[in-house]
């Protein structure tokens, strides 16, 4: 049976993994390659690296880091942040990443999704989005897409954007709830479910995980295919094995 | 020396890194002479069947693959497994290499099953794995694909998705092929590749 994936997320700043709440108060957590190895050995199904300051600083992604990770681990990983064109995607993929993730860039320039899918296959192209609860009449689902680390409101409906991006060739959608991010109070179930029901590609829940029980909950309540974990394992408070055990106990298929 | 065939069908870096990790020397190549003289051949592949077959033809590798697959240890991966079959439904129907019997088909729509079939799924060994068999009895491997190869007399591993049981690993003589990505399948994948290297 196809298992539900647990994906640790590593935010990288200046070659170090950091963690902050809503992009503030960043704390140094360690070396990306060492952490990737530890999580891979610890049962992670996949990893995602966000070069969180790359876009703001207008500098390209750290390809040396991507290569070092690809040499060290034997599980798939995605890279996001710092991608500005198809040539950037190609560099990341040739360095050994399985997938590239685009977020703000795709809002500004949606054709990057179709261009990337055409060049590398849609399974390589991940659309990340940061939806927030919204009263904006242009967002009938009640969720609006934000960009640039939650700083800009786009007026775009999150569910509509997920559908459109999928039509253009996105092979997976990461739904990172602005409302839940950093709260550790559980995933934002509604927006995750709305998007998982609206598209025919895998959906990844992101933002808000604080306890192992939050994972079986999001899988059962939303139909998502994977979920991202960060702070609760980075802090050493919980392990991936505990998350997998909570899934198994709730009857959610997990690779153990 | 292991020749990893480069026919412009996806990224081969991870495959090479996996063999590096096992201490096995490999080269990414599209040179027919190098492929013919290598000890072992890996035939990877990600992407669409039609362009893969066209690229193989343009690089004059069709006959090379047909010759080496039955003659020396050969490992097809993902699309590199699918195009070993007679034909695929992909891209409106494409004739393939015909080294394995059957037609590769698209997964049918099934409730709750998103296509591509992407992620970790279990592979179960079928009885006739042979004396040099290196398939684990059952383990999880990483998959990314929308089309599947049928179960046939050469199937050594099966996986279930969208209500279909398909060939996730096959072996015919010196030819081994896997639908999953051993190079992305953690410890299970490395053990599979190590088994292939000793076979």
């Amino acid at each position: 049976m196809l298992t539900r994936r647990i994906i640790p997320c590593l935010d990288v700043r200046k070659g170090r993994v950091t963690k902050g709440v809503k992009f503030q108060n960043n704390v140094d957590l360690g070396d990306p390659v060492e952490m990737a190895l530890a999580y891979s050995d610890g049962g992670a199904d996949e990893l995602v690296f966000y070069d969180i300051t790359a876009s703001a600083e207008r500098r390209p992604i750290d390809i040396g880091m991507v290569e070092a990770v690809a040499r060290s681990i034997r599980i798939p990983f995605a890279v996001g942040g710092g991608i500005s064109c198809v040539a950037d995607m190609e560099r990341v993929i040739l360095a050994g990443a399985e997938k590239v993730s685009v977020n703000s860039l795709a809002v500004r320039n949606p054709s990057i999704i179709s261009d990337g899918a055409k060049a590398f296959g849609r399974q390589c192209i991940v659309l990340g989005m940061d939806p927030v609860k919204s009263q904006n009449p242009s967002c009938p689902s009640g969720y609006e897409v934000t960009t640039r680390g939650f700083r800009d409101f786009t007026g775009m409906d999150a569910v509509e954007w997920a559908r459109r991006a999928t039509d253009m060739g996105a092979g997976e959608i990461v739904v990172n709830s602005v409302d839940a991010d950093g709260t550790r109070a559980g995933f934002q179930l509604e927006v995750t479910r709305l998007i998982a029901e609206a598209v025919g590609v895998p959906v990844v829940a992101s933002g808000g995980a604080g306890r192992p029980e939050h994972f079986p909950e999001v899988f059962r309540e939303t139909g998502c295919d994977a979920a991202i974990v960060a702070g609760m394992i980075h802090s050493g408070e919980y392990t991936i094995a505990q998350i997998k055990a909570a899934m198994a106990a709730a009857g959610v298929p997990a690779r153990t | 020396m292991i020749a990893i065939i480069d026919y412009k069908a996806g990224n081969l870096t991870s495959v090479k890194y996996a063999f590096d990790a096992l201490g096995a020397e490999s080269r990414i190549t599209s040179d027919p002479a190098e492929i013919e003289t290598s000890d072992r051949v890996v035939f990877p592949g990600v992407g669409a069947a039609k362009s893969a077959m066209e690229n193989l033809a343009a690089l004059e590798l069709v006959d090379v693959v047909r010759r080496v697959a039955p003659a020396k240890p050969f490992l097809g991966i993902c699309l590199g497994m699918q195009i070993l079959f007679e034909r695929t439904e992909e891209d409106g129907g494409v004739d393939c290499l015909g080294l394995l019997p059957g037609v590769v088909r698209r997964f049918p729509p099934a409730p709750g099953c998103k296509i591509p079939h992407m992620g970790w799924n279990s592979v179960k060994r079928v009885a006739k794995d042979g004396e040099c068999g290196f398939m684990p009895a059952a383990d999880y491997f990483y998959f990314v694909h929308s089309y599947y190869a049928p179960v046939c007399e050469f199937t050594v591993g099966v996986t279930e998705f969208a209500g279909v049981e398909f060939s996730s690993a096959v072996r015919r003589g010196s030819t081994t092929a896997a639908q999953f990505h051993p190079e992305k399948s953690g410890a299970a994948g490395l053990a599979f590749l190590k088994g292939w290297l000793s076979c």
Side-chain angles (χ1 to χ4, degrees), chain A residues 23-46:
Chain A
F23 289 79
Q24 303 293 313
N25 308 319
N26 288 290
V27 179
D28 185 285
L29 294 170
D31 176 70
V33 175
E34 282 172 24
M35 289 184 70
L37 261 174
Y39 286 143
S40 167
D41 290 345
D45 297 309
E46 195 171 318

Side-chain angles (χ1 to χ4, degrees), chain A residues 1-3 5 45-46 67 70-71 74-76 93-96 98-99 123 171-172 196 199-202 225 254-255, chain B residues 11 13-14 17-18 20-21 46-47 112 114-122 140 142 144 160-161 183-186 190:
Chain A
M1 190 161 199
L2 183 64
T3 58
R5 289 169 280 148
D45 297 309
E46 195 171 318
E67 268 173 16
R71 279 192 178 280
R74 303 269 83 80
I75 60 172
I93 289 170
L94 289 181
E98 186 82 358
K99 305 171 182 179
Q123 78 285 347
E172 186 162 74
V199 299
V201 299
D225 302 88
R255 179 178 70 111
Chain B
N11 171 35
T13 316
S14 313
Y17 285 170
D20 288 352
V46 170
K114 307 262 175 113
I115 292 173
H117 171 225
M118 180 161 72
W120 297 77
N121 203 335
S122 51
Y140 289 103
Y142 185 77
V144 187
E160 192 268 323
F161 180 69
E183 78 280 12
K184 290 277 183 185
S185 293
L190 274 192

Side-chain angles (χ1 to χ4, degrees), chain B residues 129-141:
Chain B
D129 188 29
E131 63 276 16
C132 96
F134 49 84
M135 291 294 295
D139 212 336
Y140 289 103
F141 290 88

Side-chain angles (χ1 to χ4, degrees), chain A residues 21 23 175 237 239:
Chain A
V21 175
F23 289 79
V175 181
E237 216 173 327
T239 63

Side-chain angles (χ1 to χ4, degrees), chain A:
Chain A
M1 190 161 199
L2 183 64
T3 58
R4 306 285 169 177
R5 289 169 280 148
I6 298 299
I7 308 177
C9 167
L10 303 172
D11 288 339
V12 182
R13 177 190 285 260
K14 297 192 174 82
R16 301 288 292 176
V17 180
T18 65
K19 179 62 188 172
V21 175
K22 299 197 191 256
F23 289 79
Q24 303 293 313
N25 308 319
N26 288 290
V27 179
D28 185 285
L29 294 170
D31 176 70
V33 175
E34 282 172 24
M35 289 184 70
L37 261 174
Y39 286 143
S40 167
D41 290 345
D45 297 309
E46 195 171 318
L47 297 174
V48 60
F49 294 86
Y50 290 114
D51 188 343
I52 53 176
T53 56
S55 305
E57 295 171 4
R58 293 188 180 283
R59 76 185 150 70
I61 203 133
D62 183 351
I63 290 295
M65 187 205 84
V66 179
E67 268 173 16
V69 170
R71 279 192 178 280
S72 306
I73 64 167
R74 303 269 83 80
I75 60 172
F77 67 98
V79 172
I83 307 279
S84 61
C85 56
V86 171
D88 285 343
M89 290 180 166
E90 187 173 21
R91 275 191 282 278
V92 167
I93 289 170
L94 289 181
E98 186 82 358
K99 305 171 182 179
V100 287
S101 179
V102 289
N103 187 322
S104 303
L105 169 67
V107 171
R108 283 199 308 278
N109 173 23
S111 64
I112 189 76
I113 298 172
S114 40
D115 292 349
K118 202 173 163 210
F120 313 110
R122 68 185 302 153
Q123 78 285 347
C124 292
I125 309 301
V126 180
L127 175 80
M129 68 156 83
D130 301 326
V132 66
K133 261 198 166 103
S134 166
Q135 306 288 326
N136 190 327
S138 70
C139 303
S141 73
Y143 292 93
E144 179 171 354
V145 175
T146 68
T147 58
R148 300 208 318 120
F150 314 157
R151 285 180 291 239
D152 294 347
F153 289 75
T154 61
M156 290 161 63
D157 183 87
V159 175
E160 194 40 52
W161 175 225
R163 272 203 199 96
R164 193 172 146 220
T166 306
D167 288 345
M168 292 185 76
E172 186 162 74
I173 310 250
V174 177
V175 181
N176 181 45
S177 165
V178 175
D179 304 298
D181 186 73
T183 64
R184 300 211 194 172
F187 293 94
Q188 219 292 0
L189 301 177
E190 187 185 51
V191 68
T192 310
R193 179 178 55 78
L194 288 173
I195 291 172
E197 285 172 355
V199 299
V201 299
V203 167
V204 184
S206 172
R211 295 199 312 273
E213 297 72 33
H214 291 150
F215 291 84
E217 178 185 57
V218 76
F219 289 122
R220 298 185 89 157
E221 300 294 323
T222 73
C224 68
D225 302 88
I228 281 178
V229 58
M232 63 180 272
I233 57 168
H234 294 333
S235 66
E237 216 173 327
Y238 294 103
T239 63
I240 296 165
Q242 286 173 302
I243 295 171
K244 297 281 184 86
M247 289 165 65
V252 174
R255 179 178 70 111
T256 50

